Amino acid sequence: MASNPASRESFSSKFGIIAAVAGSAIGLGNIWRFPYVLGENGGGAFLLLYLFFVVVIGVPVMISEFLIGRKARLNIFGAFKLLAPGKPWYLVGVMGVGVAFMILAFYSVVAGWTLHYVFLAATNHLTGKGPAEIVQVFETLKVNLWIPVFWTLLFLALSAFIVRSGIKKGIEKYTKILMPVLFVIILLLDIRAITLDGASEGLAFLFSPDFSSINGRVVLEALGQAFFSLSIGMGVLATYGSYIRKSDSLGGTALTVSLADTMIAVLAGVAIFPAAFAFGLEPNQGPGLVFVTLPNIFNQMAGGYIFALLFFVLLSIAALTSSISLLEVVVAYFVEQLKMTRKVATWVATGIMAFFGILCALYSKLFGAFDFVSSNIILPLGGFFVVIFVGFVLGNKSAREEMEADGKRARYFVPFMFIVKFVAPIAIALVFLNGLGLLNFLFQ
Ligand code: TRP
């Protein structure tokens, strides 16, 4: 990405920014990760915690990342170096590069499963199967290991090709049309799911909170899911922020994207849990959840073949627009800090990701560890430093200046700064210590 502030382009419309940021945010995190993590953490109470964290921590962290990027008109490392010269803040950016590797390793495995399901849907391998057979289809991925490895590598190659050839803008043009189509398909799935016999149990699981299921670990996972789904805590959105025009509102952009992202996650849950209960599947079965529930709904719909195919194609595209935002961070770092050419940077980054991606495809323990540590530990830690930076290094004057660059008074500025300085950092620290069992240890 260009680092010369004068020549830096901007998004040409408000909708362009929103589509690009939503492209990064909306992905497997909403449709694959949210339901499976919610299912493992007791349901409704997790949903409430998640919504709370999106509003109270997610939106302010997103605004903060935009603010840092737009202020410096640079990516996160460049921004930290420019805004806090000679200080070690840029290490937060380096941490972001590390976590991008971790996320993309397991992300490309799940995206690989999605591509495999495109193939299965197209070749009519999902229709006419009962729930037990559909579970069996997913299980074969654990036996024939070369299948997931193949699709993982194919997905990484696609991401690399897009990042390398700079056709990201072209892709974003299509996602503006395709993501609303995905939204409509999920709505249709919802309608079919909630009219299934036995659906009400699933709706109750999702919407009637059982507070006895809450413990430190559940709270930590809800926070981690909020970070993962919104693409925050890694500095990706600083780069996007650097392209937002001064005349556009940072708060408005963050709110719109967070709302759309959260809506897609909840609607995915409304399709998956009623179906899981109706077909006698366990809600807490882990990462395979979406792949074993949804095909059953397609089988109960007129035109199920087409819907299944369209759904998995669109989910693959949603995964792709997210993965390119992850890969871009690493490539930008290699280009700007290690002085590689863009081509070399892309292939070196992809090569390393492929290595870890294969390991994640083969060893579910490593997959689980990368998934848990990146979302629940490293992203919130990144978010913690981002808000501290905006609150105490940039400070009120500088932050307000950037926030009001559109010439309008930011009425939410005072509560925003209060959250950024105190509420968010303290909440993240507490959730952390509690979730990792360190509070018990300290207060024993
Ligand atoms: N938010 C994406 C999803 O929900 C994943 C993702 C893309 C991401 N870029 C990120 C997560 C940066 C954390 C940080 O699928």
Side-chain angles (χ1 to χ4, degrees), residues 24-25 27-30 103 107 228-229 231 234 236 322 325-326 379:
S24 167
L28 297 171
N30 309 60
I103 294 178
Y107 204 83
F228 186 87
S229 191
S231 296
M234 217 185 86
V236 179
S322 300
S325 80
L326 288 156
L379 294 178

Side-chain angles (χ1 to χ4, degrees), residues 189-203:
L189 280 173
D190 284 347
I191 295 170
R192 182 64 267 226
I194 58 183
T195 51
L196 288 167
D197 278 340
S200 55
E201 218 182 320
L203 288 174

Side-chain angles (χ1 to χ4, degrees), residues 99-109 152 155-156 159 319 322-324 326-328 330 353 357:
V99 73
F101 276 111
M102 255 187 170
I103 294 178
L104 209 44
F106 69 84
Y107 204 83
S108 51
V109 173
T152 301
F155 179 79
L156 270 173
S159 309
S322 300
S323 74
I324 54 188
L326 288 156
L327 189 56
E328 183 66 48
V330 180
M353 306 262 186

Side-chain angles (χ1 to χ4, degrees), residues 40 48 51 89 138 149 165 278 315 349 378 398 444:
E40 284 186 335
L48 287 183
L51 295 175
W89 281 98
F138 186 75
V149 169
S165 57
L315 185 57
I378 306 183
S398 192
Q444 231 164 28

